[in-house]
Amino acid sequence: MKIKEPGIIAGVSNRHVHLSREDVEILFGKDYQLTPIKDLGQPGQFACQETVIIAGPKGAIEKVRVLGPERKETQIEISLTDAFKLGVMPPVRDSGDLEGTPGIVIIGPKGSVIKEKGVIIAKRHIHMHPKDAELYNVKDKDIVRVVVDKPGRRVIFDDVLIRVSEKYALEFHVDTDEANAALLKTGDKVYILEE
């Protein structure tokens, strides 16, 4: 097994929502501004103090973190385990690809919104700056394999999407279900496999 050096830092993504301006105002009040509490691995992205409840046909999950900044369209990212609890069956999708996805109810302190679409399981991916893409000899939308080499629990993730932009910092993103299967934590290193 041949790997590409250097290793890439992993970011494990828990359930969260990205909200549009319109939905922020319905959920939290007119002219409400989200409150950043922690910067995330990607430049300009941050976790907010605000949380919401998401509710599906079978159940609800409380204290779901809102991430900023606001987006053009509201998007809800959950794991398959969350999907079972909520009673929805979202597809695995790249961020922003929301056509044909299930909806959900989002409940905030000032109101609630019924979303007709927007729930996804995020496709595992690696964010890269163009300089990183050059270093690893990959391009935007390439598919690679990534190894997590934990003692007794080596996992190879196939079908990992490369996303390249001047706005990105190098980071491998998986959800909590995938990370738990590989004993992976935020800050651990993973490696792209040579093909």
Side-chain angles (χ1 to χ4, degrees), residues 10-14 124 148 150 153 155 157 172-186 188:
V12 178
S13 191
N14 200 354
R124 50 184 171 253
V148 180
K150 294 285 188 171
R153 190 54 80 88
V155 171
F157 287 111
F172 172 60
H173 278 182
V174 289
D175 70 23
T176 50
D177 284 356
E178 294 173 300
N180 289 342
L183 303 178
L184 183 67
K185 302 184 307 298
T186 292
D188 288 349

PDB file of all heavy atoms in Angstrom, residues 10-14 124 148 150 153 155 157 172-186 188:
ATOM      1  N   ALA A  10      -7.953  15.457   9.356  1.00  0.00           N
ATOM      2  CA  ALA A  10      -9.366  15.102   9.253  1.00  0.00           C
ATOM      3  C   ALA A  10     -10.224  16.078  10.053  1.00  0.00           C
ATOM      4  O   ALA A  10      -9.818  16.547  11.115  1.00  0.00           O
ATOM      5  CB  ALA A  10      -9.590  13.682   9.770  1.00  0.00           C
ATOM      6  N   GLY A  11     -11.396  16.348   9.520  1.00  0.00           N
ATOM      7  CA  GLY A  11     -12.411  17.123  10.240  1.00  0.00           C
ATOM      8  C   GLY A  11     -13.681  16.293  10.278  1.00  0.00           C
ATOM      9  O   GLY A  11     -14.254  15.985   9.231  1.00  0.00           O
ATOM     10  N   VAL A  12     -14.086  15.889  11.481  1.00  0.00           N
ATOM     11  CA  VAL A  12     -15.295  15.068  11.629  1.00  0.00           C
ATOM     12  C   VAL A  12     -16.484  16.001  11.794  1.00  0.00           C
ATOM     13  O   VAL A  12     -16.503  16.859  12.678  1.00  0.00           O
ATOM     14  CB  VAL A  12     -15.176  14.108  12.829  1.00  0.00           C
ATOM     15  CG1 VAL A  12     -16.460  13.301  12.991  1.00  0.00           C
ATOM     16  CG2 VAL A  12     -13.970  13.189  12.660  1.00  0.00           C
ATOM     17  N   SER A  13     -17.475  15.816  10.927  1.00  0.00           N
ATOM     18  CA  SER A  13     -18.600  16.739  10.857  1.00  0.00           C
ATOM     19  C   SER A  13     -19.837  16.149  11.538  1.00  0.00           C
ATOM     20  O   SER A  13     -20.391  15.162  11.070  1.00  0.00           O
ATOM     21  CB  SER A  13     -18.881  17.009   9.381  1.00  0.00           C
ATOM     22  OG  SER A  13     -19.772  18.054   9.245  1.00  0.00           O
ATOM     23  N   ASN A  14     -20.248  16.769  12.640  1.00  0.00           N
ATOM     24  CA  ASN A  14     -21.475  16.373  13.312  1.00  0.00           C
ATOM     25  C   ASN A  14     -22.662  17.002  12.569  1.00  0.00           C
ATOM     26  O   ASN A  14     -22.482  17.887  11.741  1.00  0.00           O
ATOM     27  CB  ASN A  14     -21.443  16.849  14.766  1.00  0.00           C
ATOM     28  CG  ASN A  14     -22.408  16.092  15.663  1.00  0.00           C
ATOM     29  OD1 ASN A  14     -23.193  15.271  15.210  1.00  0.00           O
ATOM     30  ND2 ASN A  14     -22.348  16.371  16.947  1.00  0.00           N
ATOM     31  N   ARG A 124     -18.359  12.199   1.458  1.00  0.00           N
ATOM     32  CA  ARG A 124     -17.019  12.428   2.022  1.00  0.00           C
ATOM     33  C   ARG A 124     -16.142  13.106   0.969  1.00  0.00           C
ATOM     34  O   ARG A 124     -16.235  12.803  -0.229  1.00  0.00           O
ATOM     35  CB  ARG A 124     -16.401  11.143   2.536  1.00  0.00           C
ATOM     36  CG  ARG A 124     -16.417   9.980   1.610  1.00  0.00           C
ATOM     37  CD  ARG A 124     -15.857   8.735   2.304  1.00  0.00           C
ATOM     38  NE  ARG A 124     -16.061   7.573   1.481  1.00  0.00           N
ATOM     39  CZ  ARG A 124     -16.951   6.616   1.726  1.00  0.00           C
ATOM     40  NH1 ARG A 124     -17.721   6.662   2.784  1.00  0.00           N
ATOM     41  NH2 ARG A 124     -17.053   5.584   0.912  1.00  0.00           N
ATOM     42  N   VAL A 148      -7.265   5.410   6.623  1.00  0.00           N
ATOM     43  CA  VAL A 148      -7.152   5.773   8.043  1.00  0.00           C
ATOM     44  C   VAL A 148      -6.492   4.562   8.697  1.00  0.00           C
ATOM     45  O   VAL A 148      -7.065   3.478   8.705  1.00  0.00           O
ATOM     46  CB  VAL A 148      -8.536   6.032   8.676  1.00  0.00           C
ATOM     47  CG1 VAL A 148      -8.382   6.413  10.143  1.00  0.00           C
ATOM     48  CG2 VAL A 148      -9.295   7.104   7.919  1.00  0.00           C
ATOM     49  N   LYS A 150      -5.550   3.203  11.821  1.00  0.00           N
ATOM     50  CA  LYS A 150      -5.603   3.057  13.274  1.00  0.00           C
ATOM     51  C   LYS A 150      -5.292   1.595  13.626  1.00  0.00           C
ATOM     52  O   LYS A 150      -5.790   0.681  12.961  1.00  0.00           O
ATOM     53  CB  LYS A 150      -6.990   3.415  13.797  1.00  0.00           C
ATOM     54  CG  LYS A 150      -7.354   4.871  13.607  1.00  0.00           C
ATOM     55  CD  LYS A 150      -6.621   5.721  14.593  1.00  0.00           C
ATOM     56  CE  LYS A 150      -7.132   7.153  14.528  1.00  0.00           C
ATOM     57  NZ  LYS A 150      -6.595   7.964  15.604  1.00  0.00           N
ATOM     58  N   ARG A 153      -7.903  -1.241  13.291  1.00  0.00           N
ATOM     59  CA  ARG A 153      -9.107  -0.725  12.641  1.00  0.00           C
ATOM     60  C   ARG A 153      -8.743   0.076  11.397  1.00  0.00           C
ATOM     61  O   ARG A 153      -9.249   1.172  11.179  1.00  0.00           O
ATOM     62  CB  ARG A 153      -9.885   0.132  13.656  1.00  0.00           C
ATOM     63  CG  ARG A 153     -11.290   0.567  13.259  1.00  0.00           C
ATOM     64  CD  ARG A 153     -12.238  -0.529  12.853  1.00  0.00           C
ATOM     65  NE  ARG A 153     -12.816  -1.224  13.959  1.00  0.00           N
ATOM     66  CZ  ARG A 153     -13.934  -0.891  14.601  1.00  0.00           C
ATOM     67  NH1 ARG A 153     -14.600   0.161  14.230  1.00  0.00           N
ATOM     68  NH2 ARG A 153     -14.375  -1.622  15.589  1.00  0.00           N
ATOM     69  N   VAL A 155      -9.072   1.445   7.926  1.00  0.00           N
ATOM     70  CA  VAL A 155     -10.215   1.610   7.033  1.00  0.00           C
ATOM     71  C   VAL A 155      -9.756   2.364   5.796  1.00  0.00           C
ATOM     72  O   VAL A 155      -9.040   3.359   5.900  1.00  0.00           O
ATOM     73  CB  VAL A 155     -11.364   2.385   7.733  1.00  0.00           C
ATOM     74  CG1 VAL A 155     -12.457   2.748   6.741  1.00  0.00           C
ATOM     75  CG2 VAL A 155     -11.933   1.585   8.890  1.00  0.00           C
ATOM     76  N   PHE A 157     -11.337   4.476   2.807  1.00  0.00           N
ATOM     77  CA  PHE A 157     -12.535   5.137   2.285  1.00  0.00           C
ATOM     78  C   PHE A 157     -12.379   5.282   0.778  1.00  0.00           C
ATOM     79  O   PHE A 157     -11.454   5.945   0.305  1.00  0.00           O
ATOM     80  CB  PHE A 157     -12.727   6.512   2.917  1.00  0.00           C
ATOM     81  CG  PHE A 157     -13.192   6.479   4.338  1.00  0.00           C
ATOM     82  CD1 PHE A 157     -12.358   6.871   5.375  1.00  0.00           C
ATOM     83  CD2 PHE A 157     -14.472   6.040   4.652  1.00  0.00           C
ATOM     84  CE1 PHE A 157     -12.795   6.844   6.690  1.00  0.00           C
ATOM     85  CE2 PHE A 157     -14.921   6.010   5.970  1.00  0.00           C
ATOM     86  CZ  PHE A 157     -14.075   6.405   6.988  1.00  0.00           C
ATOM     87  N   PHE A 172      -9.815  16.803   5.234  1.00  0.00           N
ATOM     88  CA  PHE A 172     -10.631  15.649   4.860  1.00  0.00           C
ATOM     89  C   PHE A 172     -11.889  15.661   5.713  1.00  0.00           C
ATOM     90  O   PHE A 172     -11.802  15.698   6.931  1.00  0.00           O
ATOM     91  CB  PHE A 172      -9.827  14.363   5.112  1.00  0.00           C
ATOM     92  CG  PHE A 172     -10.597  13.080   4.959  1.00  0.00           C
ATOM     93  CD1 PHE A 172     -11.196  12.728   3.756  1.00  0.00           C
ATOM     94  CD2 PHE A 172     -10.709  12.200   6.028  1.00  0.00           C
ATOM     95  CE1 PHE A 172     -11.893  11.527   3.628  1.00  0.00           C
ATOM     96  CE2 PHE A 172     -11.391  10.997   5.905  1.00  0.00           C
ATOM     97  CZ  PHE A 172     -11.988  10.663   4.700  1.00  0.00           C
ATOM     98  N   HIS A 173     -13.075  15.632   5.082  1.00  0.00           N
ATOM     99  CA  HIS A 173     -14.341  15.706   5.821  1.00  0.00           C
ATOM    100  C   HIS A 173     -15.130  14.404   5.726  1.00  0.00           C
ATOM    101  O   HIS A 173     -15.403  13.918   4.627  1.00  0.00           O
ATOM    102  CB  HIS A 173     -15.223  16.835   5.263  1.00  0.00           C
ATOM    103  CG  HIS A 173     -14.860  18.179   5.793  1.00  0.00           C
ATOM    104  ND1 HIS A 173     -15.541  19.322   5.463  1.00  0.00           N
ATOM    105  CD2 HIS A 173     -13.886  18.574   6.635  1.00  0.00           C
ATOM    106  CE1 HIS A 173     -15.000  20.364   6.079  1.00  0.00           C
ATOM    107  NE2 HIS A 173     -13.983  19.921   6.785  1.00  0.00           N
ATOM    108  N   VAL A 174     -15.501  13.871   6.873  1.00  0.00           N
ATOM    109  CA  VAL A 174     -16.427  12.730   6.963  1.00  0.00           C
ATOM    110  C   VAL A 174     -17.439  13.029   8.056  1.00  0.00           C
ATOM    111  O   VAL A 174     -17.221  13.897   8.900  1.00  0.00           O
ATOM    112  CB  VAL A 174     -15.713  11.403   7.296  1.00  0.00           C
ATOM    113  CG1 VAL A 174     -14.886  10.899   6.127  1.00  0.00           C
ATOM    114  CG2 VAL A 174     -14.859  11.515   8.559  1.00  0.00           C
ATOM    115  N   ASP A 175     -18.557  12.283   8.056  1.00  0.00           N
ATOM    116  CA  ASP A 175     -19.533  12.479   9.129  1.00  0.00           C
ATOM    117  C   ASP A 175     -19.220  11.566  10.317  1.00  0.00           C
ATOM    118  O   ASP A 175     -18.262  10.777  10.285  1.00  0.00           O
ATOM    119  CB  ASP A 175     -20.972  12.331   8.622  1.00  0.00           C
ATOM    120  CG  ASP A 175     -21.364  10.912   8.235  1.00  0.00           C
ATOM    121  OD1 ASP A 175     -20.763   9.938   8.716  1.00  0.00           O
ATOM    122  OD2 ASP A 175     -22.323  10.767   7.445  1.00  0.00           O
ATOM    123  N   THR A 176     -19.997  11.685  11.367  1.00  0.00           N
ATOM    124  CA  THR A 176     -19.708  10.959  12.613  1.00  0.00           C
ATOM    125  C   THR A 176     -19.819   9.449  12.442  1.00  0.00           C
ATOM    126  O   THR A 176     -19.042   8.703  13.044  1.00  0.00           O
ATOM    127  CB  THR A 176     -20.643  11.431  13.748  1.00  0.00           C
ATOM    128  OG1 THR A 176     -21.993  11.397  13.274  1.00  0.00           O
ATOM    129  CG2 THR A 176     -20.307  12.840  14.193  1.00  0.00           C
ATOM    130  N   ASP A 177     -20.763   8.976  11.629  1.00  0.00           N
ATOM    131  CA  ASP A 177     -20.878   7.530  11.407  1.00  0.00           C
ATOM    132  C   ASP A 177     -19.600   6.976  10.792  1.00  0.00           C
ATOM    133  O   ASP A 177     -19.067   5.948  11.224  1.00  0.00           O
ATOM    134  CB  ASP A 177     -22.057   7.203  10.477  1.00  0.00           C
ATOM    135  CG  ASP A 177     -23.412   7.295  11.161  1.00  0.00           C
ATOM    136  OD1 ASP A 177     -23.458   7.539  12.384  1.00  0.00           O
ATOM    137  OD2 ASP A 177     -24.425   7.113  10.467  1.00  0.00           O
ATOM    138  N   GLU A 178     -19.111   7.642   9.740  1.00  0.00           N
ATOM    139  CA  GLU A 178     -17.905   7.186   9.055  1.00  0.00           C
ATOM    140  C   GLU A 178     -16.692   7.262   9.980  1.00  0.00           C
ATOM    141  O   GLU A 178     -15.868   6.345  10.021  1.00  0.00           O
ATOM    142  CB  GLU A 178     -17.655   8.032   7.814  1.00  0.00           C
ATOM    143  CG  GLU A 178     -18.717   7.863   6.747  1.00  0.00           C
ATOM    144  CD  GLU A 178     -18.546   8.843   5.606  1.00  0.00           C
ATOM    145  OE1 GLU A 178     -18.586  10.059   5.846  1.00  0.00           O
ATOM    146  OE2 GLU A 178     -18.363   8.366   4.478  1.00  0.00           O
ATOM    147  N   ALA A 179     -16.586   8.358  10.720  1.00  0.00           N
ATOM    148  CA  ALA A 179     -15.448   8.533  11.633  1.00  0.00           C
ATOM    149  C   ALA A 179     -15.448   7.467  12.727  1.00  0.00           C
ATOM    150  O   ALA A 179     -14.404   6.884  13.035  1.00  0.00           O
ATOM    151  CB  ALA A 179     -15.494   9.929  12.247  1.00  0.00           C
ATOM    152  N   ASN A 180     -16.613   7.192  13.295  1.00  0.00           N
ATOM    153  CA  ASN A 180     -16.687   6.188  14.358  1.00  0.00           C
ATOM    154  C   ASN A 180     -16.256   4.811  13.863  1.00  0.00           C
ATOM    155  O   ASN A 180     -15.582   4.066  14.586  1.00  0.00           O
ATOM    156  CB  ASN A 180     -18.102   6.125  14.934  1.00  0.00           C
ATOM    157  CG  ASN A 180     -18.445   7.350  15.764  1.00  0.00           C
ATOM    158  OD1 ASN A 180     -17.561   8.088  16.200  1.00  0.00           O
ATOM    159  ND2 ASN A 180     -19.729   7.595  15.968  1.00  0.00           N
ATOM    160  N   ALA A 181     -16.625   4.468  12.633  1.00  0.00           N
ATOM    161  CA  ALA A 181     -16.253   3.167  12.072  1.00  0.00           C
ATOM    162  C   ALA A 181     -14.736   3.023  11.954  1.00  0.00           C
ATOM    163  O   ALA A 181     -14.207   1.914  12.011  1.00  0.00           O
ATOM    164  CB  ALA A 181     -16.905   2.983  10.700  1.00  0.00           C
ATOM    165  N   ALA A 182     -14.041   4.149  11.801  1.00  0.00           N
ATOM    166  CA  ALA A 182     -12.584   4.132  11.607  1.00  0.00           C
ATOM    167  C   ALA A 182     -11.810   4.603  12.838  1.00  0.00           C
ATOM    168  O   ALA A 182     -10.593   4.780  12.762  1.00  0.00           O
ATOM    169  CB  ALA A 182     -12.239   5.011  10.411  1.00  0.00           C
ATOM    170  N   LEU A 183     -12.508   4.811  13.980  1.00  0.00           N
ATOM    171  CA  LEU A 183     -11.880   5.358  15.201  1.00  0.00           C
ATOM    172  C   LEU A 183     -11.184   6.694  14.916  1.00  0.00           C
ATOM    173  O   LEU A 183     -10.162   7.020  15.507  1.00  0.00           O
ATOM    174  CB  LEU A 183     -10.866   4.371  15.802  1.00  0.00           C
ATOM    175  CG  LEU A 183     -11.377   2.984  16.162  1.00  0.00           C
ATOM    176  CD1 LEU A 183     -10.248   2.119  16.695  1.00  0.00           C
ATOM    177  CD2 LEU A 183     -12.498   3.050  17.192  1.00  0.00           C
ATOM    178  N   LEU A 184     -11.761   7.474  14.005  1.00  0.00           N
ATOM    179  CA  LEU A 184     -11.147   8.720  13.547  1.00  0.00           C
ATOM    180  C   LEU A 184     -11.683   9.904  14.332  1.00  0.00           C
ATOM    181  O   LEU A 184     -12.876  10.003  14.571  1.00  0.00           O
ATOM    182  CB  LEU A 184     -11.453   8.896  12.055  1.00  0.00           C
ATOM    183  CG  LEU A 184     -10.851  10.089  11.329  1.00  0.00           C
ATOM    184  CD1 LEU A 184      -9.335   9.956  11.238  1.00  0.00           C
ATOM    185  CD2 LEU A 184     -11.449  10.208   9.927  1.00  0.00           C
ATOM    186  N   LYS A 185     -10.761  10.811  14.720  1.00  0.00           N
ATOM    187  CA  LYS A 185     -11.149  12.031  15.431  1.00  0.00           C
ATOM    188  C   LYS A 185     -10.675  13.252  14.642  1.00  0.00           C
ATOM    189  O   LYS A 185      -9.709  13.161  13.880  1.00  0.00           O
ATOM    190  CB  LYS A 185     -10.509  12.079  16.825  1.00  0.00           C
ATOM    191  CG  LYS A 185     -10.823  10.913  17.731  1.00  0.00           C
ATOM    192  CD  LYS A 185     -10.249  11.082  19.115  1.00  0.00           C
ATOM    193  CE  LYS A 185      -8.775  11.388  19.206  1.00  0.00           C
ATOM    194  NZ  LYS A 185      -7.848  10.394  18.673  1.00  0.00           N
ATOM    195  N   THR A 186     -11.335  14.377  14.865  1.00  0.00           N
ATOM    196  CA  THR A 186     -10.881  15.626  14.258  1.00  0.00           C
ATOM    197  C   THR A 186      -9.440  15.878  14.679  1.00  0.00           C
ATOM    198  O   THR A 186      -9.088  15.740  15.849  1.00  0.00           O
ATOM    199  CB  THR A 186     -11.779  16.802  14.708  1.00  0.00           C
ATOM    200  OG1 THR A 186     -13.079  16.610  14.136  1.00  0.00           O
ATOM    201  CG2 THR A 186     -11.228  18.142  14.258  1.00  0.00           C
ATOM    202  N   ASP A 188      -6.866  14.080  13.509  1.00  0.00           N
ATOM    203  CA  ASP A 188      -6.063  12.931  13.081  1.00  0.00           C
ATOM    204  C   ASP A 188      -5.629  13.105  11.634  1.00  0.00           C
ATOM    205  O   ASP A 188      -6.267  13.834  10.872  1.00  0.00           O
ATOM    206  CB  ASP A 188      -6.885  11.630  13.194  1.00  0.00           C
ATOM    207  CG  ASP A 188      -7.125  11.188  14.627  1.00  0.00           C
ATOM    208  OD1 ASP A 188      -6.486  11.756  15.549  1.00  0.00           O
ATOM    209  OD2 ASP A 188      -7.939  10.264  14.829  1.00  0.00           O
TER     210      ASP A 188
END
